[in-house]
């Protein structure tokens, strides 16, 4: 999506990229208030006090490469908050809005799955299954192995909210400055149903969404729009699935007039027939 990033998003991206480890807290100020609409979150940024802005910028050292937006905020130019929120809105519209319904469905499916697991096997199973590095101890400690962070954190009775996050992949994030504290973990790919099982080895090999896309192309060669219709997803999501399948040689894509046409390759046919050789597994893993 990088080629779609609008120029208006520049101030926001400069602010985020100024640190490799964190973002200013005022960009996260609304996470724990219960709001879930982007417009509400952007409004909360606009009313950030001058004192809070300055406190959030303490960690940014004075150096020649410090982004201009940080210098302007330090100088008390609160108008820059409007540029930041406008940039966030423009970035969302250009790069996320087309896929947002699919993202929301995945997050909702994850929450429903965790709630179901909690009802069947208890909260300990949910906590252990949040992330490959998490483990719940009967002594009341949640252990999480995350690269680049080391320490202990006491909730002090404030509680812990679990938030699936679409953009985390193998990592996890603890936000401890809120009441309750927030634990962000990678959202599972659960929209199409439960986790892949032995009854669907193809889904276990290339993930469920891509398996569905491969089967849809296998019905008959189709355009991206037709693939999206068959899968019940947005065209950008269908295009992403097609790109992933094309990258491993499972489908080919050829332009026909103003559209592209996706079709199975011999490898794609072999996948649908259940022929998964070691070399094939290696290619898909890459």
């Amino acid at each position: 999506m990088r080629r779609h990033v609008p120029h208006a998003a520049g101030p926001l991206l400069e602010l985020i990229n100024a640190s490799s480890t964190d973002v200013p807290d005022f960009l996260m100020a609304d996470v724990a208030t219960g709001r879930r609409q982007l417009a509400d979150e952007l409004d909360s940024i606009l009313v950030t006090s001058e004192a809070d802005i300055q406190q959030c910028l303490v960690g940014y050292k004075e150096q020649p490469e410090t982004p201009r937006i940080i210098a302007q905020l330090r100088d008390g130019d609160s108008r820059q908050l409007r540029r930041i929120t406008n940039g966030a809105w423009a970035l969302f519209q250009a790069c996320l809005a087309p896929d947002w319904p699919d993202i929301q469905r995945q997050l909702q499916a994850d929450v429903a799955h965790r709630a179901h697991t909690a009802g069947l096997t208890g909260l300990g199973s949910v906590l252990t299954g949040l992330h490959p590095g998490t483990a719940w101890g009967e002594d009341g400690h949640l252990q999480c192995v995350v690269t680049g962070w080391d320490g202990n954190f006491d909730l002090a009775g404030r509680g812990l909210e679990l938030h699936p996050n679409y953009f985390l992949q193998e990592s996890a994030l603890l936000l401890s400055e809120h009441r309750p504290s927030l634990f962000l973990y990678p959202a599972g790919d659960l929209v199409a149903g439960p986790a892949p099982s032995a009854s669907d080895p193809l889904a276990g090999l290339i993930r469920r969404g891509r398996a569905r896309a491969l089967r849809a192309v296998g019905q008959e060669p189709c355009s991206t729009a037709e693939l999206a219709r068959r899968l019940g997803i947005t065209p950008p999501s269908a295009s992403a699935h097609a790109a992933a399948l094309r990258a491993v040689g499972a489908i080919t894509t050829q332009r026909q007039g103003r559209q592209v046409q996706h079709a199975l390759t011999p490898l794609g046919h072999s996948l649908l027939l259940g022929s998964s050789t070691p070399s094939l597994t290696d290619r898909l893993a890459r």
Side-chain angles (χ1 to χ4, degrees):
M1 298 304 296
R2 187 168 300 180
R3 60 192 175 94
H4 298 295
V5 174
H7 178 73
L12 171 69
L13 298 180
E14 285 183 354
L15 185 61
I16 291 174
N17 292 330
S19 170
S20 61
T21 59
D22 205 356
V23 297
D25 281 346
F26 65 80
L27 291 182
M28 304 291 291
D30 206 50
V31 169
T33 66
R35 293 172 179 165
R36 291 295 180 266
Q37 296 300 316
L38 179 58
D40 292 329
E41 296 186 8
L42 297 181
D43 285 344
S44 74
I45 293 175
L46 290 174
V47 297
T48 307
S49 69
E50 178 64 26
D52 286 343
I53 292 175
Q54 297 304 322
Q55 179 62 36
C56 291
L57 298 178
V58 167
Y60 293 90
K61 298 178 180 179
E62 290 284 359
Q63 48 192 354
E65 60 271 22
T66 298
R68 183 181 178 185
I69 187 68
I70 291 180
Q72 292 169 324
L73 289 171
R74 279 178 172 158
D75 290 341
D77 188 356
S78 59
R79 295 173 301 176
Q80 302 308 315
L81 291 179
R82 176 65 69 178
R83 294 182 64 210
I84 291 169
T85 57
N86 286 348
W89 184 255
L91 185 65
F92 173 79
Q93 292 296 328
C95 298
L96 284 175
D99 290 312
W100 195 243
D102 291 339
I103 293 173
Q104 286 184 307
R105 280 194 291 271
Q106 181 165 329
L107 297 176
Q108 292 163 1
D110 185 280
V111 171
H113 171 69
R114 309 292 176 185
H116 181 68
T117 300
L120 289 177
T121 57
L123 188 58
S125 297
V126 175
L127 294 172
T128 298
L130 291 176
H131 177 272
T134 59
W136 172 249
E138 295 299 330
D139 58 354
H141 288 84
L142 176 63
Q143 297 181 340
C144 184
V145 179
V146 177
T147 303
W149 190 87
D150 184 28
N152 297 310
F153 180 74
D154 186 357
L155 293 176
R158 295 182 298 178
L160 181 69
E161 281 191 8
L162 308 178
H163 287 245
N165 188 286
Y166 185 81
F167 300 101
L168 289 173
Q169 296 179 1
E170 298 180 356
S171 185
L173 182 63
L174 175 68
L175 302 179
S176 60
E177 300 301 322
H178 305 277
R179 295 180 180 272
S181 297
L182 310 179
F183 186 81
L184 279 61
Y185 62 90
D189 187 7
L190 302 167
V191 173
S197 66
S199 62
D200 188 2
L202 179 59
L205 188 62
I206 63 174
R207 299 184 63 178
R208 185 173 298 274
R210 294 175 188 174
R212 291 181 63 232
L214 186 64
R215 290 190 175 103
V217 174
Q219 296 173 14
E220 187 178 357
C222 61
S223 66
T224 301
E226 174 61 19
L227 178 60
R229 189 193 65 77
R230 293 178 186 178
L231 296 175
I233 61 178
T234 64
S237 295
S239 179
H241 284 314
L245 294 172
R246 186 169 57 250
V248 298
I251 67 172
T252 60
T253 301
Q254 295 182 340
R255 180 164 294 280
Q256 294 185 357
R258 299 180 62 181
Q259 292 185 329
V260 296
Q261 196 80 351
H262 307 297
L264 292 182
T265 64
L267 173 61
H269 281 290
S270 296
L271 278 170
L272 292 183
L273 291 174
S275 174
S276 56
T277 62
S279 60
L280 169 61
T281 303
D282 292 341
R283 289 181 65 184
L284 292 171
R286 291 197 297 270

